[in-house]
Amino acid sequence: MPAPFKSQELIHGVAVDQGSGLAAAIAAARGADARDDDLKTFKRIVVETASPLATTLLVDSNYGPQLLPHMASSCIPMLAFEADVYHIADEDRITRLPDDLSVEQFPALGAPVLKFFLYYGPNDPAELNQRKFDLVRSIGDRCRAQGTTFLFEPIVYDRAISDVTSTEFALLKPSLVRRAVEDFVNPDYKIDILKIEIPVTLDFVEDFGTAAMSRRDAEAAIVDVSNAAGDMPFLYLSAGVTFERFIEGLSFCKSSSGKAAGFMCGRALWSDAIGVFGADGGSAMAKWMETTGRDRLARMGEAIA
């Protein structure tokens, strides 16, 4: 496990780096009571209530520097190095970098881990992917130069399949995730840890949903990705699924290969708190996070232990 994480400890990570999408959901929940600082308040409550039990907690480049002081001292701060991930720069899906944050500022901010998110299509034109490779390599070089841990999050897609909820994409996804891992474990990128999608979509796996993929094939896909990672530690991300589905996914991955270094969860942990915040305010949300939220985090840890 890369520094600053403990070598024998599974990572129980929480992510609250979402931007405009989360802001819109909170505004809708708050209705006439919406305030300009609602997004910051929501994030602060997640940080204050989840960080005492989390191994690491991820915040965004916009509010993150202001939120870091609210994090429990036992929790490793992780800061995203990207502008709003809901606003990709262009049709090539290259993540925009923040205007007012540089890699070199991370140590002074007290953020020992940098997270960078990028949409990656293994079947995209070589010229486009080379631009993405060059961007990741540049960030890795800058992280390594100052001792910042580099966590990289490739989210896979294929231009030939626009509907990522379709059976067609579910059947292709295992190979896309495996190829992304194979590409980015290259030491030239100086990535310390990967944050990846669970390679199978349980809604299409035998015993979990529509049986477009057998349970045996799904297990093999998880093993293939684990093998592709080699010695590179990786975390599973929740990717917007429900808490219950993420628990099932973590348990399935654990029983199939057991190799993951941990998980990072966002909406699977706190999405239901949006409604609580909207209806009853910050105090009620804090109580929900301290009870239901912390219980969810503990259960995720048990699922992958």
Side-chain angles (χ1 to χ4, degrees):
M1 191 79 70
F5 300 106
K6 297 178 181 178
S7 59
Q8 301 301 319
E9 184 177 67
L10 289 177
I11 294 172
H12 299 174
V14 174
V16 64
D17 58 328
Q18 289 79 359
S20 57
L22 176 56
I26 292 172
R30 295 275 280 165
D33 294 326
R35 296 172 40 136
D36 291 342
D37 62 351
D38 279 343
L39 179 60
K40 180 181 177 182
T41 300
F42 183 93
K43 288 172 179 275
R44 176 182 54 77
I45 293 170
V46 172
V47 169
E48 291 176 341
T49 57
S51 63
L53 294 184
T55 304
T56 185
L57 199 147
L58 169 65
V59 289
D60 63 288
S61 63
N62 186 22
Y63 292 105
Q66 304 168 55
L67 294 171
L68 292 176
H70 295 275
M71 203 171 296
S73 59
S74 59
C75 185
I76 297 167
M78 185 184 302
L79 187 59
F81 187 60
E82 60 226 4
D84 189 345
V85 296
Y86 291 91
H87 295 151
I88 304 304
D90 50 41
E91 65 179 10
D92 292 339
R93 309 188 198 189
I94 296 179
T95 308
R96 291 191 298 118
L97 301 182
D99 295 326
D100 53 358
L101 179 67
S102 70
V103 175
E104 290 70 26
Q105 290 175 277
F106 274 61
L109 289 170
V113 185
L114 177 150
K115 186 274 287 189
F116 180 64
F117 162 100
L118 185 68
Y119 284 114
Y120 179 62
N123 295 320
D124 270 355
E127 181 275 333
L128 170 58
N129 281 341
Q130 187 60 53
R131 289 163 56 199
K132 295 184 178 183
F133 294 153
D134 291 344
L135 176 59
V136 174
R137 183 181 292 106
S138 172
I139 295 172
D141 286 342
R142 294 164 70 188
C143 285
R144 186 64 56 86
Q146 63 189 18
T148 297
T149 297
F150 182 22
L151 182 146
F152 178 58
E153 177 184 354
I155 298 297
V156 298
Y157 68 93
D158 190 282
R159 292 179 186 274
I161 306 173
S162 59
D163 184 3
V164 296
T165 67
S166 66
T167 304
E168 186 181 10
F169 185 78
L171 294 176
L172 183 62
K173 184 177 179 181
S175 67
L176 295 177
V177 175
R178 175 182 52 76
R179 290 170 63 191
V181 170
E182 288 173 342
D183 286 341
F184 288 105
V185 294
N186 187 326
D188 287 349
Y189 298 113
K190 298 181 177 62
I191 294 166
D192 296 297
I193 187 166
L194 286 169
K195 179 184 175 190
I196 64 172
E197 300 162 271
I198 291 175
V200 297
T201 304
L202 289 187
D203 289 347
F204 297 99
V205 175
E206 178 188 13
D207 297 335
F208 294 98
T210 304
M213 179 183 292
S214 71
R215 186 183 184 101
R216 178 176 294 181
D217 287 347
E219 291 171 343
I222 292 168
V223 172
D224 283 347
V225 169
S226 295
N227 290 340
D231 294 330
M232 172 77 72
F234 64 89
L235 310 176
Y236 287 123
L237 62 98
S238 55
V241 301
T242 64
F243 163 69
E244 292 80 9
R245 191 54 115 190
F246 191 44
I247 286 283
E248 289 179 316
L250 291 176
S251 298
F252 186 55
C253 290
K254 173 64 178 179
S255 65
S256 300
S257 74
K259 191 180 174 183
F263 64 85
M264 290 287 295
C265 63
R267 286 166 286 179
L269 176 69
W270 46 253
S271 62
D272 291 334
I274 296 172
V276 178
F277 183 63
D280 301 310
S283 295
M285 176 191 163
K287 291 179 181 178
W288 186 95
M289 284 294 302
E290 289 167 351
T291 52
T292 304
R294 288 180 175 178
D295 177 69
R296 287 184 175 186
L297 187 56
R299 289 179 59 192
M300 291 175 193
E302 292 168 359
I304 205 168

